Amino acid sequence: MRIHRLEMQAFGPFADRQVIDFDELGAHGLFLLNGPTGAGKTSVLDAICFALYGTVPGARQQGRRLRSDHAAQDTAPEVVCEFSSGVRRFEVVRSPQWERPAKRAGGKSTVTEQAKTLLREFVDGAWVQKSSRNDEASAEITELLGMNRDQFTRVVMLPQGDFAAFLRADAASREQLLQQLFHIGYCVAAVVIADNEIIAVYFIKYLMNKC
């Protein structure tokens, strides 16, 4: 699975539409998602998870809270993710449930907009609709990726709290933490540090009881 493009509007701290071209970022290999606290690093990862599965990790999974407080009241929250799985290319567009100002009440009351999803596949030079149902799209993406949301957040997006605990732990505790996170045995092969920041951790899967 490879992510090509991510768009966010009225999502997390992003009021206006933001576009991330992952193909351009990854053209030179490894890249770092960096910024001060509150800059939106976690929100970018949340947007990817929300686009794929319709929810975000942990306590942040209340969909109606995903809309940005900084966006204009009538701006719909939306996430667009273009990705490929094998040789197939897809685009998923999702909007969480949100409250928009009622047009006939002069903005003094609100109307609930239900969550929306559109999953399309690029076939023979054109986008073809696959599903417009929230649950159906999530099930199809789960089958495509071979991972449900919990597995995706464990394997692809290592929880920050668990990562901090891993760094502080002794060797035996690290092994136990990795087994809990990935449900499989792994050994740490290398930790890449630049400017006193950890930018990558490489794991080697092991088949024996010891590395």
Side-chain angles (χ1 to χ4, degrees):
M1 182 259 194
R2 178 176 179 178
I3 298 173
H4 301 283
R5 173 176 55 92
L6 180 69
E7 298 183 20
M8 301 164 287
Q9 173 181 279
F11 185 90
F14 306 111
D16 301 321
R17 183 170 293 271
Q18 305 293 323
V19 181
I20 302 175
D21 186 337
F22 284 100
D23 286 339
E24 182 180 354
L25 285 175
H28 303 290
L30 183 69
F31 65 89
L32 172 65
L33 184 63
N34 187 37
T37 301
K41 300 183 297 298
T42 300
S43 293
V44 171
L45 303 179
D46 282 350
I48 294 172
C49 188
F50 177 73
L52 297 176
Y53 298 101
T55 59
V56 297
R60 303 189 302 280
Q61 65 184 325
Q62 298 300 322
R64 68 189 62 187
R65 292 185 177 183
L66 297 178
R67 187 181 183 277
S68 175
D69 293 330
H70 308 293
Q73 290 185 344
D74 59 349
T75 301
E78 182 181 83
V79 174
V80 181
C81 184
E82 185 178 340
F83 67 97
S84 58
S85 178
V87 297
R88 302 172 67 185
R89 196 171 184 117
F90 298 87
E91 181 190 73
V92 58
V93 182
R94 287 196 196 259
S95 295
Q97 179 179 309
W98 67 292
E99 300 292 326
R100 68 164 175 82
K103 296 179 180 178
R104 295 184 179 180
K108 295 181 180 180
S109 62
T110 60
V111 175
T112 300
E113 290 284 349
Q114 298 300 324
K116 297 178 182 179
T117 299
L118 176 63
L119 176 63
R120 305 191 299 173
E121 182 176 4
F122 196 69
V123 180
D124 296 330
W127 288 106
V128 178
Q129 180 173 322
K130 300 285 290 182
S131 177
S132 59
R133 290 178 47 188
N134 299 327
D135 55 349
E136 186 177 70
S138 299
E140 183 154 351
I141 291 173
T142 296
E143 184 176 353
L144 280 168
L145 303 184
M147 292 182 288
N148 60 30
R149 192 208 70 178
D150 291 339
Q151 292 168 329
F152 181 82
T153 55
R154 272 202 307 269
V155 175
V156 179
M157 297 190 300
L158 185 66
Q160 293 180 6
D162 291 330
F163 185 58
F166 165 77
L167 293 177
R168 293 192 299 266
D170 56 30
S173 298
R174 288 181 183 181
E175 180 177 343
Q176 183 178 4
L177 281 168
L178 288 170
Q179 288 174 341
Q180 290 173 351
L181 287 169
F182 296 99
H183 291 182
I184 195 168
Y186 275 80
C187 286
V188 178
V191 177
V192 181
I193 300 177
D195 296 329
N196 297 321
E197 287 196 36
I198 296 172
I199 61 173
V201 179
Y202 294 92
F203 301 102
I204 295 178
K205 180 178 177 182
Y206 66 88
L207 302 178
M208 306 295 289
N209 291 330
K210 295 183 180 179
C211 297

